[in-house]
Amino acid sequence: MNRTTSAVPIVSVAMAGVLLALSACSSSSNTTNPSNSQPSASASANTSAPAGSAAAFGGMAEGPFEGWVEGLPKIEAPAGFDWKQFSGTQLNFISENTPPSSALAANIGIFEKATGIQVNIEQSNLDIVAEKVGLDFNARNANYQLIYADPYQILSKQSKNLADLNDFNNDPSLPHIPGGLEDFIESQLQADGYMGDTEHLYALPYDSPTMVLAYRKDVFDKYKDQFQQEKGYDWTPSANMTWDQYYEISSWINDKVKSGAISEVKYGSGHEAKQHDSLQADFSNVLGAYGADYFEGENLGSVGAARPGKSLLTSPEAVEAATMYKKLLDIAAPGSKTWDWTGVAEAFAAGDLAMAPIFHENNAMFEDANKSKVVGKVAWSILPKGTKRSANLFGGTGIGISKYASEKEQKAAWLFLVWATSPQAQYMILKSEEAGSTPTRHSVYNLPDVKKGMEPGTEEAKAMPNLLPMNAVLEAWKLENVYMRPKVPQWPQVDTIIYTELSKMLFDKQTPEETMKAIAKKSDDITGN
Amino acid sequence: MALRRKSVYAVLYVVLAAAMLWALLPIVWMALSSVKTQVNMFSMPPKFIFAPTFHTYREMFSAKGNFGEFLTNSVVVSLSTTFISVVLGLMGGFALARGNFKKEKGISSWIISTRMAPIPAVILPLYLMFAKAGLIGTTTGLIFAYTTFNLPFALWMMATFFKDVPVDMEEAAMIDGCGKFEAFRRIAVPTAAPGIVATSILCLMFSWNDFAFASVFSGRGTQTVPVAASLLISQHGIQWGQAMATGTVIIAPMIVCGLAVRKYLVRGLSMGAVK
Amino acid sequence: MPQLTETFDRPEQATAAARSRGRAKGSRTEFWMLLPSIVVLAIISIFPFLFLIYASFMDYSLSIDAPSFTGLDNWRRVFESDTFWQSWGRTAIFGVAGLALELLLGVAVALLLYHAPKGRNLIMTLWMLPLFVAPVVSGLLWKYLLDPTYGLYNWFLERIGIHTQILGDISTAMPAVILMDVWEWTPLITIIVLAGLQSVSQEPLEAAEVDGASGFQKIRFILLPMVRRMIVVALLIRSMDILRYVDTITIATEGGPADSTKTIGYYLMQVAFRFQDMGTAAALGLTMLFVTMVMGNIFVKMMKKGEG
């Protein structure tokens, strides 16, 4: 009888035993693998002088951080500034799980050693980050002092809960943004940093994924002449390509694949058209190209506004764009409707697609032989034009500071922000083995090795695989080419309506015109117009 | 007769085998994929024979992958909440089944309704409570949160089991001079053993699998395995190899555990102590 | 509020219960045994419930931390929205099909295992494995199996001439997520029902054997009625969870394509987490709570009817 009573403990003990054994393995590998937490060798090679030793111009002294290289603005503080005054402070940084945050986490020792501030980087999916930040603000808890402030899902709604960074940057007793605000790429500073006006600065640009066109150089070179003969123009993707041509090229490749003439790829093009945020992003590229946009209103894409105007989607340009988008998706790889940005990138890496609009930081995956069959075969261009322009969706984010943190924590968080968004940290992230994101700083792109890395085939391009698309991306970031989504608090809802209705359109449940009307009606409902 | 019985059993096992194939093929494929290189994972036609690599596992359990920490958190939280829920549930379930409460219907109705809470909607009030109590990001908070769904379940399961267990033996024991609690401990609990095991396993499973609460109430250092799994999906791709390895690692202990308690898992009372 | 307690009163046990109650020296011991559970549940359920009612009259749509009173606006918006009713429609399909398949398969396997002379332990251990593949991982696993480029199941389907994008087609996505749910959760029914079968007394079965009852008759007239209570509990637990939990859908389809897998649970998650519109979420949540309770009540009544 007593044997049966012990059933519960046996379950527990058995479980505990097995799992302890498993976790024991993990702790032993912890000790055998210390090299991971070290900063990458190249970044730490150029160690800067400790604070104070180089009494610099204008009463400024250089910060004690490793990793500075010739050509970058230095991290500086007023002479005599004690970088260790917040020693012992604990900061929590909540971030989306992105390669730059992994790279930052791996190299956080540089910051902790210099300041004595301990930074915990917690990574989650963007939806969960937005949710946790909202809950944290709601409880006035400041569990997170440092916030990954996605412009559309977080900043637009929560700006009043974020500290004004101008207060720190203008404080004569604190270090300032190295290289100044003008070293940030302007369109990114506006989208990531401001909300409603440029009076208050809420976040500093941190990462910068952007949609551009990835294509298979091998395929486009090999069949170039044949296409030229049949269609009468050079099909190599460039700033001159239009969405009509893109359509024509994609169908041409599909036909040749069917007839067996092309075997390198399976489809002409692929898209991220799953019922998901990605569908809206993919569609926005076409919408912007035809000169249309989502709402009436000034500067919605740059500084944003608390309340957008009426929906503009019933305009003829918007309907034209939707019609074109439907056309593009009808001939795209059939998997497109199940792919988000991850899916389309994987299909491209698997060698299935000749071209696709893709976030540029996927190039690291394309050049990784463990994950990709297209190593060395990828080239990039800005996206095709519509009747108006080329529109390339920007998807970057900044970091901000919670207003509910104590004054001491806020200042400590400012030191972190200064470092994490500094040119040298951005350069370090670029070079890290996590193949982090591409910098948000002009000065980094002017470094000689970074410039070399943008050219295919160089040593630098191999070491920093995300630089390969940068020629196209720098072009895409120009104000005339970049597409910035409207930054309004209602965006998460409107966005959901957009991609849900578009998904219905792709399954022929409604025409492009009906789709645009439906979105306009529902979004006016939400924005109160 | 013997021949007929044999063919009945043959059919029985054929049907069971088909059910097993349906249940296990995805898991076998998951385990196989976890020891493939990424290129092999994505090769078409699918590869059944290949040189295995344990690279993914090494990466997961490295300092950077930090999977050991996630696993430890999951184990601690799941075992604690299971223990609390089953112990409270045993006592409470017994009380509900045997007690003479005036409002019994109302009480048990209310108990089960606490498990129906639509999670996304109650996250905000729970968060506010937890923040006040300083439980955000702590293991204790998570254990508490999991008890919200495990305790009502355990109470109902145990109450139902005790109702099905004949009361005669408890009464006999009480006539012999045992107190009510003694009768519960010495007679009722052993009799309901299959129910206790089933309840423990399912409580363990509910907390082991939870993502909705863990994603919000855990913080860095207290994240559990399902949260770790969700991190494999990012803007820059799904780490398929790690996803498959994670799946394999989280069910491996269950195979061992299942085999360890198999005696209690599948045993008729007829063979037990009662008869 | 519907009463869900009928399970506890089965006619044939009523007399036994009455006997036991009659002899008990009051219910003091039981009171103290139940009290800790009641206290814990009260702490975690009363405030959230009151908060839901409060929030359903507040407007959170612009900011999560400073709501304003809006009266019945949230309720009106919920009931007027097409998405709400369509999501319930899809939830009905998802729930009914999922629960029916799980119940059928789960009870069948439990009965087979109960009768299997050998290998029960091993088979049961393996059979319950899908339960422990966390829904997040299970969503990923099925996505991987059904992937149009490299999925194993997709490859099998192509061998037999089916070239559909299973998760990317409005006609197949829903059946696919139902089957995912069935795969993961059927063992739960089996565990509960089998545990019930284990506790069944052997005497009626032996008596039936003597009377020459067939195997089917024994199952239909003796075994199933004896575990009816366990079946109801299993069904009740599954029915509330099938509404609440949407991890698999979140990973595999995110409600798409063209909304074909957007259930009420997924819709609620979108409103609460993505839109952070807690007022609407509270109203939605309360309707879900209400439906779950009514549903539970119906199950219990149905089972009682079959008994009489």
Side-chain angles (χ1 to χ4, degrees):
Chain A
M1 202 179 285
N2 281 331
R3 273 187 309 135
T4 26
T5 357
S6 58
V8 180
I10 285 180
V11 181
S12 319
V13 169
M15 282 285 311
V18 171
L19 292 157
L20 281 179
L22 278 167
S23 50
C25 314
S26 75
S27 52
S28 65
S29 56
N30 274 347
T31 50
T32 56
N33 214 346
S35 62
N36 274 322
S37 58
Q38 295 294 318
S40 71
S42 56
S44 57
N46 288 294
T47 324
S48 66
S53 74
F57 30 89
M60 298 298 276
E62 194 181 332
F65 301 100
E66 291 170 20
W68 179 81
V69 295
E70 193 61 47
L72 294 180
K74 290 180 175 169
I75 301 176
E76 288 172 332
F81 180 78
D82 178 10
W83 283 93
K84 295 240 175 187
Q85 59 181 299
F86 304 114
S87 188
T89 308
Q90 288 233 11
L91 295 179
N92 295 320
F93 172 27
I94 184 163
S95 166
E96 188 184 353
N97 52 333
T98 59
S101 289
S102 303
L104 212 56
N107 294 294
I108 195 67
I110 299 176
F111 178 77
E112 294 186 337
K113 207 176 97 197
T115 60
I117 298 166
Q118 198 197 327
V119 183
N120 303 315
I121 301 181
E122 178 183 327
Q123 303 191 51
S124 292
N125 303 98
L126 183 57
D127 280 346
I128 290 169
V129 173
E131 179 193 338
K132 286 182 128 178
V133 168
L135 290 167
D136 196 43
F137 286 151
N138 192 296
R140 306 244 185 294
N141 202 24
N143 191 21
Y144 303 107
Q145 295 87 0
L146 287 158
I147 314 281
Y148 180 90
D150 181 88
Y152 311 97
Q153 288 208 46
I154 298 179
L155 177 65
S156 61
K157 258 187 188 215
Q158 310 286 8
S159 59
K160 63 182 180 314
N161 293 312
L162 294 169
D164 185 352
L165 302 180
N166 285 328
D167 294 347
F168 304 107
N169 200 30
N170 297 333
D171 186 333
S173 68
L174 289 174
H176 304 155
I177 296 167
L181 285 174
E182 55 276 15
D183 193 34
F184 288 111
I185 287 142
E186 196 200 348
S187 56
Q188 298 184 17
L189 180 65
Q190 291 204 331
D192 294 343
Y194 299 106
M195 181 59 207
D197 56 57
T198 50
E199 241 165 78
H200 308 282
L201 176 65
Y202 297 113
L204 295 180
Y206 168 62
D207 61 14
S208 57
T210 303
M211 287 185 84
V212 276
L213 186 70
Y215 65 93
R216 288 283 295 279
K217 204 169 163 7
D218 54 334
V219 175
F220 276 83
D221 286 349
K222 187 168 170 190
Y223 303 100
K224 183 178 170 179
D225 295 338
Q226 195 181 345
F227 185 87
Q228 176 119 29
Q229 270 166 18
E230 284 184 33
K231 301 285 178 184
Y233 60 94
D234 179 359
W235 72 343
T236 311
S238 72
N240 295 321
M241 186 191 218
T242 64
W243 283 112
D244 281 309
Q245 290 172 338
Y246 175 97
Y247 175 81
E248 191 172 41
I249 293 167
S250 177
S251 340
W252 190 84
I253 295 174
N254 284 345
D255 290 344
K256 298 289 170 205
V257 169
K258 253 182 222 130
S259 69
I262 293 184
S263 58
E264 288 86 351
V265 294
K266 288 190 191 150
Y267 305 101
S269 61
H271 286 263
E272 43 182 58
K274 177 181 175 178
Q275 181 174 337
H276 181 268
D277 200 17
S278 63
L279 174 52
Q280 170 270 124
D282 199 49
F283 172 68
S284 293
N285 294 321
V286 180
L287 186 74
Y290 283 81
D293 209 337
Y294 293 106
F295 302 111
E296 272 174 7
E298 293 281 295
N299 299 329
L300 293 181
S302 53
V303 297
R307 181 156 230 178
K310 280 184 96 63
S311 172
L312 288 175
L313 286 183
T314 46
S315 71
E317 298 86 25
V319 175
E320 196 185 352
T323 312
M324 172 51 85
Y325 189 71
K326 170 81 169 80
K327 225 173 110 181
L328 294 178
L329 263 292
D330 283 344
I331 57 149
S336 295
K337 290 173 202 167
T338 65
W339 293 333
D340 54 14
W341 32 59
T342 314
V344 72
E346 277 172 356
F348 192 85
D352 286 1
L353 309 174
M355 57 182 178
I358 290 181
F359 277 105
H360 79 277
E361 290 175 352
N362 284 301
N363 199 57
M365 167 164 75
F366 299 157
E367 298 300 328
D368 179 346
N370 286 323
K371 298 177 179 169
S372 157
K373 292 182 184 159
V374 295
V375 176
K377 296 176 182 167
V378 188
W380 297 79
S381 157
I382 67 168
L383 288 172
K385 291 188 296 191
T387 49
K388 190 92 175 183
R389 65 174 182 128
S390 162
N392 304 266
L393 182 117
F394 170 75
T397 294
I399 313 179
I401 298 176
S402 168
K403 207 169 84 178
Y404 305 109
S406 71
E407 198 192 325
K408 188 178 154 197
E409 284 173 344
Q410 288 193 28
K411 285 186 175 168
W414 171 249
L415 298 192
F416 175 80
L417 220 56
V418 164
W419 173 72
T421 65
S422 71
Q424 68 196 53
Q426 292 275 310
Y427 179 61
M428 172 194 82
I429 290 171
L430 173 69
K431 295 194 86 159
S432 65
E433 58 182 302
E434 287 80 10
S437 72
T438 49
T440 54
R441 298 286 205 149
H442 287 299
S443 53
V444 181
Y445 293 109
N446 292 329
L447 291 177
D449 61 334
V450 173
K451 278 193 167 156
K452 270 189 222 150
M454 296 184 209
E455 302 310 323
T458 59
E459 275 305 301
E460 287 81 1
K462 280 202 189 94
M464 297 176 275
N466 274 331
L467 283 177
L468 188 69
M470 277 321 291
N471 279 325
V473 173
L474 288 174
E475 192 60 29
W477 283 347
K478 290 186 178 158
L479 287 173
E480 66 268 26
N481 292 329
V482 75
Y483 180 78
M484 297 284 185
R485 282 160 283 174
K487 197 164 59 181
V488 296
Q490 302 84 353
W491 182 249
Q493 271 127 303
V494 177
D495 178 25
T496 306
I497 291 166
I498 294 167
Y499 65 66
T500 305
E501 297 297 325
L502 283 173
S503 178
K504 291 181 194 164
M505 173 181 92
L506 296 183
F507 284 96
D508 295 315
K509 286 190 145 185
Q510 53 195 22
T511 66
E513 194 167 357
E514 287 160 2
T515 307
M516 294 298 106
K517 269 192 191 144
I519 300 173
K521 186 173 168 290
K522 292 186 181 177
S523 98
D524 282 347
D525 229 30
I526 284 167
T527 57
N529 281 296
Chain B
M1 186 72 189
L3 191 72
R4 196 172 154 251
R5 171 150 286 191
K6 252 190 188 160
S7 60
V8 166
Y9 282 137
V11 171
L12 184 149
Y13 279 108
V14 167
V15 176
L16 274 180
M20 286 301 123
L21 185 69
W22 153 254
L24 293 181
L25 186 57
I27 289 177
V28 170
W29 190 244
M30 175 173 82
L32 278 180
S33 302
S34 73
V35 290
K36 284 181 181 175
T37 59
Q38 185 125 2
V39 172
N40 274 341
M41 269 187 89
F42 294 144
S43 69
M44 267 290 137
K47 272 194 187 162
F48 292 92
I49 295 158
F50 54 91
T53 162
F54 292 89
H55 169 82
T56 316
Y57 289 94
R58 274 197 298 274
E59 204 170 86
M60 269 166 73
F61 285 100
S62 74
K64 214 168 84 190
N66 207 11
F67 199 77
E69 184 186 285
F70 295 123
L71 208 52
T72 315
N73 291 335
S74 268
V75 172
V76 169
V77 172
S78 304
L79 286 183
S80 309
T81 175
T82 300
F83 183 76
I84 294 171
S85 305
V86 171
V87 169
L88 289 181
L90 250 179
M91 296 198 303
F94 179 78
L96 275 174
R98 298 281 186 269
N100 194 7
F101 296 109
K102 264 191 203 150
K103 296 247 157 64
E104 191 211 295
K105 279 190 178 186
I107 294 172
S108 43
S109 181
W110 169 73
I111 287 175
I112 198 66
S113 74
T114 61
R115 201 184 178 280
M116 296 176 181
I119 296 169
V122 296
I123 285 277
L124 175 61
L126 282 176
Y127 193 94
L128 294 174
M129 283 171 70
F130 278 34
K132 269 271 179 313
L135 291 176
I136 302 291
T138 65
T139 309
T140 320
L142 220 46
I143 294 171
F144 205 58
Y146 286 0
T147 308
T148 64
F149 53 72
N150 273 340
L151 182 52
F153 171 73
L155 279 167
W156 259 62
M157 281 285 282
M158 291 328 302
T160 315
F161 268 103
F162 283 126
K163 294 247 163 170
D164 279 341
V165 168
V167 293
D168 310 30
M169 293 200 49
E170 290 161 39
E171 286 168 4
M174 288 194 309
I175 290 167
D176 290 350
C178 278
K180 197 167 239 173
F181 192 77
E182 272 299 276
F184 159 73
R185 199 175 66 81
R186 291 183 41 197
I187 312 286
V189 170
T191 319
I196 297 173
V197 174
T199 310
S200 311
I201 288 179
L202 292 176
C203 282
L204 205 58
M205 181 273 298
F206 285 127
S207 31
W208 189 246
N209 285 350
D210 169 79
F211 176 71
F213 284 106
S215 65
V216 177
F217 293 127
S218 70
R220 187 179 167 277
T222 55
Q223 285 172 329
T224 56
V225 170
V227 178
S230 77
L231 295 183
L232 301 175
I233 312 163
S234 76
Q235 292 222 16
H236 297 264
I238 296 173
Q239 298 178 41
W240 288 109
Q242 288 216 10
M244 297 301 124
T246 302
T248 310
V249 171
I250 60 180
I251 59 160
M254 292 307 145
I255 300 178
V256 180
C257 167
L259 291 174
V261 300
R262 65 185 186 278
K263 253 172 44 197
Y264 305 95
L265 193 63
V266 185
R267 175 163 77 163
L269 269 185
S270 53
M271 297 175 264
V274 174
K275 205 173 173 187
Chain C
M1 198 176 285
Q3 295 290 316
L4 296 166
T5 47
E6 277 86 343
T7 22
F8 286 155
D9 299 295
R10 210 166 64 178
E12 63 262 33
Q13 286 241 325
T15 45
R19 251 192 309 150
S20 118
R21 283 165 194 179
R23 279 186 213 169
K25 301 172 250 165
S27 304
R28 257 188 132 173
T29 321
E30 280 94 349
F31 174 77
W32 289 108
M33 284 170 85
L34 187 57
L35 189 67
S37 302
I38 299 284
V39 172
V40 172
L41 288 179
I43 293 175
I44 51 192
S45 73
I46 290 177
F47 172 68
F49 181 68
L50 295 177
F51 186 91
L52 277 194
I53 295 176
Y54 159 82
S56 73
F57 298 110
M58 305 298 285
D59 180 10
Y60 284 81
S61 61
L62 276 187
S63 115
I64 191 176
D65 58 338
S68 54
F69 182 76
T70 65
L72 288 169
D73 268 16
N74 293 325
W75 289 96
R76 189 180 47 76
R77 199 161 341 125
V78 162
F79 285 114
E80 279 179 2
S81 121
D82 293 345
T83 317
F84 174 76
W85 296 108
Q86 287 162 0
S87 304
W88 270 116
R90 282 184 288 265
T91 308
I93 297 170
F94 182 71
V96 169
L99 286 179
L101 285 171
E102 281 161 33
L103 191 67
L104 219 63
L105 197 56
V107 173
V109 172
L111 285 170
L112 288 175
L113 281 175
Y114 182 72
H115 287 102
K118 266 189 197 156
R120 284 198 279 182
N121 300 328
L122 184 69
I123 297 174
M124 189 60 216
T125 303
L126 294 175
W127 175 245
M128 70 180 194
L129 286 182
L131 275 181
F132 290 90
V133 180
V136 176
V137 177
S138 145
L140 282 171
L141 176 58
W142 281 100
K143 222 168 110 131
Y144 177 59
L145 288 168
L146 295 175
D147 188 278
T149 327
Y150 42 73
L152 177 70
Y153 280 20
N154 190 68
W155 181 76
F156 284 145
L157 289 173
E158 278 181 6
R159 292 306 94 174
I160 57 169
I162 300 173
H163 291 269
T164 327
Q165 309 282 324
I166 302 294
L167 293 175
D169 194 289
I170 31 180
S171 57
T172 51
M174 181 55 107
V177 295
I178 291 173
L179 287 180
M180 289 179 203
D181 200 80
V182 171
W183 177 77
E184 173 131 32
W185 294 109
T186 303
L188 181 135
I189 311 262
T190 307
I191 289 185
I192 296 181
V193 173
L194 188 62
L197 287 171
Q198 310 298 342
S199 321
V200 161
S201 150
Q202 295 290 306
E203 283 138 23
L205 282 176
E206 281 155 16
E209 187 110 8
V210 172
D211 292 348
S214 74
F216 175 79
Q217 281 170 325
K218 276 190 279 181
I219 292 173
R220 169 69 186 82
F221 296 106
I222 302 175
L223 281 177
L224 281 183
M226 285 177 117
V227 294
R228 173 176 285 131
R229 236 188 258 252
M230 295 323 295
I231 294 179
V232 172
V233 172
L235 209 54
L236 200 59
I237 297 295
R238 269 314 294 147
S239 64
M240 57 180 80
D241 285 355
I242 213 168
L243 283 186
R244 300 204 301 168
Y245 286 101
V246 289
D247 298 350
T248 315
I249 289 184
T250 306
I251 303 271
T253 64
E254 303 192 49
D259 262 1
S260 55
T261 57
K262 189 188 264 181
T263 59
I264 195 73
Y266 185 81
Y267 181 49
L268 170 65
M269 200 186 70
Q270 234 177 16
V271 172
F273 293 167
R274 200 172 152 68
F275 307 166
Q276 305 201 336
D277 181 354
M278 295 315 297
T280 312
L284 267 178
L286 287 170
T287 59
M288 278 175 70
L289 190 59
F290 179 76
V291 171
T292 320
M293 286 176 154
V294 171
M295 207 169 55
N297 201 30
I298 292 173
F299 279 142
V300 172
K301 286 241 167 83
M302 247 163 46
M303 283 301 176
K304 272 198 76 112
K305 235 180 213 163
E307 218 161 279

